[in-house]
Each structure stands twice: as C-alpha cells, then as structure tokens.
Amino acid sequence: MADSDPVTWRLALAIQSLLQTITKANGYRTDIGLNVLVEDDQSDSKLETVLPVVIDVNKSQRTAQQGVNSRQRGIDFTIESGTVASLANAKQLAHQILADIEKAMDRQAPVSSSSTSGIRSAKLVSSEILKRPEGLPAIVVQCKGTCNYLPD
Amino acid sequence: MSNVGVADLDAKIFAGMMRSGLADDAAYTEGTGSPMPCRVIVKRDTQIIGEYGQVVGERTTVSFLRAEVPTPKRSATVTVGTDSWTLESKQHEDESVSEWIVNG
C-alpha cells in the first residue's frame, strides 16, 4: 500500500487485507480469503473452483452527523464473493461465506464511534445472497458496508 | 391437432435431429435406479450472476420425449456421452416433450 495512494484507495486495500485473513487455517469456515481482488473480475464456474472475492469502493458522501469533524466523509463499499456450488449445498455455502465476512469485519470493528475514521470504522450495513439463476452451479453473496474517512 | 398428432410430430422431429446430429442418445436415471435409454435435445447458453466478481456459467436445457421418459423428475440425472447433469427445474412440458434446466 503506497502512502501516495488516495485514502479511499487505501481503504479498499485495507479491506482486502482484512478479508485475506479468511482461511480455514485461521479458524474460518471457508478459504475465500485466498483470492481477494480490488479490481472487477469475471470467472467461469466450469473452469474454476475457487472464485475471487471482489471489493468495490464506490459512493462517497459528506457525513451529516453533528459532532464529527466537518471534513469527514463516508464511503460505501461492496464485497462480492462467489463460490461454485451444487443444488445440494448452494445456500449452505452462501451462509458460510456470509458468516466468515461478518466475522472478519467484526474482528476489526472498534467500539462504535461515528467520528472514527479509517479502516477501523468500516462496518457492514447489509448483505444479500443473490438469487441464483437456475442451472448455474455457483452462488454469490453481496455485502454492503460503509467507512468514514478524512480526505487527504 | 390431437395429442397423438403432436407426439407423432415430435417423435419425427427428434428422429430427424438425431440423423442431423442435433439430438443425442442419453441415459436418464432416477436415484439409484437403472439408467433408462432415451433421446434428448441439449441446448447450451450462458448466464451471469454478480456485478463486480461476475460468475459466468452454463444455462443448459435438456428436452425429453415423454414417450421415452414420461415424467422426468427433479434431481434425476441425464448423461450424454461424458456429460452428466442433474435436472433442476421444469421449463416447459406438453403432451410429448418435457424440457428441463439442468445443473452440472
């Protein structure tokens, strides 16, 4: 992570580092942390068994809360993780991925404080197991979160 | 057209597609039962799930002649050569043909 990168990109890389800890060896249920990307990707469910986790940090807005630094902004991020699945285990795998992402994010979460900036303010706000198209041997989980930061 | 007429027409279509190489010999199996020989028409397409880490996969449908497989069932398997799929959802069915989305 280069210090010359904008703070918003450094946040993306920090979330990437956080998710890279998700391995069975570290006590999680899945190994989705083995392939975490910050650029968009496309995988073929027939050719690949380990699908990447992709982080997208996108929508920024000024924090409207009172009592926080007036320069503070919030930025939304999306974590998308897919896995190859069969008819018999697709939803089970999706719930395992979701639980692992929530666990990893919770491990970093500080005592809640709206004024906290940086990766330690990152928190998940919603998650969704995307509707699997019939016949597709894969399932995707999408988690949305937000993070506070002070612009460079 | 009577039901018999539709069935006859579909049987002729399947036979013609077999001759043209557009339909295949297959085996249909329910659970641990014995494989049932049949003919199928396999259609392959692709579909996508996700926005950022898109996953691309096949959308494959298999059509059976009901004269050969009267009531295909979810979770049964169909094998064509080295390809094998699990029946996932019925897409269309009339008097003579049953079409399924398969997973595999």
Side-chain angles (χ1 to χ4, degrees):
Chain A
M1 187 186 314
D3 286 343
S4 58
D5 281 328
V7 61
T8 48
W9 185 245
R10 296 202 306 271
L11 286 170
L13 298 179
I15 295 169
Q16 179 185 36
S17 295
L18 194 57
L19 296 178
Q20 283 171 335
T21 65
I22 301 177
T23 63
K24 291 178 181 174
N26 285 339
Y28 290 90
R29 294 181 176 87
T30 70
D31 279 322
I32 62 170
L34 296 176
N35 189 9
V36 185
L37 308 176
V38 287
E39 299 287 356
D40 290 358
D41 190 56
Q42 190 177 65
S43 306
D44 189 324
S45 62
K46 194 164 188 177
L47 302 178
E48 298 161 69
T49 53
V50 179
L51 305 181
V53 179
V54 177
I55 301 158
D56 186 66
V57 178
N58 41 41
K59 184 179 170 188
S60 170
Q61 66 280 321
R62 191 175 296 278
T63 303
Q65 295 164 295
Q66 291 184 334
V68 300
N69 187 324
S70 61
R71 293 180 60 237
Q72 182 171 291
R73 301 179 68 88
I75 192 161
D76 295 340
F77 62 88
T78 302
I79 299 167
E80 199 167 82
S81 177
T83 185
V84 172
S86 71
L87 268 180
N89 68 355
K91 288 186 178 177
Q92 179 187 18
L93 290 176
H95 282 272
Q96 289 177 351
I97 289 172
L98 184 56
D100 278 353
I101 292 173
E102 288 175 343
K103 184 176 173 182
M105 296 300 292
D106 283 348
R107 282 188 173 176
Q108 292 297 313
V111 175
S112 179
S113 168
S114 60
S115 63
T116 303
S117 295
I119 182 61
R120 293 185 62 78
S121 72
K123 55 181 178 288
L124 297 179
V125 293
S126 67
S127 61
E128 181 179 2
I129 298 170
L130 301 186
K131 171 70 176 164
R132 184 179 65 84
E134 291 171 335
L136 184 67
I139 197 157
V140 170
V141 173
Q142 202 175 68
C143 299
K144 293 185 183 294
T146 186
C147 189
N148 297 327
Y149 72 98
L150 292 173
D152 296 323
Chain B
M1 188 180 295
S2 70
N3 293 354
V4 174
V6 172
D8 284 347
L9 179 60
D10 282 332
K12 286 173 182 167
I13 290 171
F14 263 66
M17 293 184 79
M18 286 291 291
R19 284 194 296 276
S20 306
L22 298 175
D24 298 287
D25 286 314
Y28 169 86
T29 309
E30 286 181 15
T32 56
S34 301
M36 181 188 307
C38 59
R39 295 171 291 173
V40 296
I41 296 171
V42 179
K43 296 179 190 168
R44 300 172 195 265
D45 200 350
T46 57
Q47 56 187 352
I48 293 173
I49 184 173
E51 292 176 59
Y52 308 104
Q54 291 186 334
V55 184
V56 181
E58 290 184 351
R59 182 186 190 276
T60 305
T61 62
V62 174
S63 296
F64 300 90
L65 271 177
R66 296 186 65 198
E68 297 173 347
V69 184
T71 53
K73 289 186 171 54
R74 189 172 195 271
S75 299
T77 60
V78 59
T79 303
V80 177
T82 57
D83 290 325
S84 184
W85 299 279
T86 302
L87 274 61
E88 181 167 340
S89 66
K90 187 188 295 185
Q91 290 300 292
H92 165 82
E93 189 170 86
D94 60 21
E95 300 92 328
S96 63
V97 173
S98 184
E99 182 182 34
W100 286 72
I101 289 183
V102 295
N103 188 313

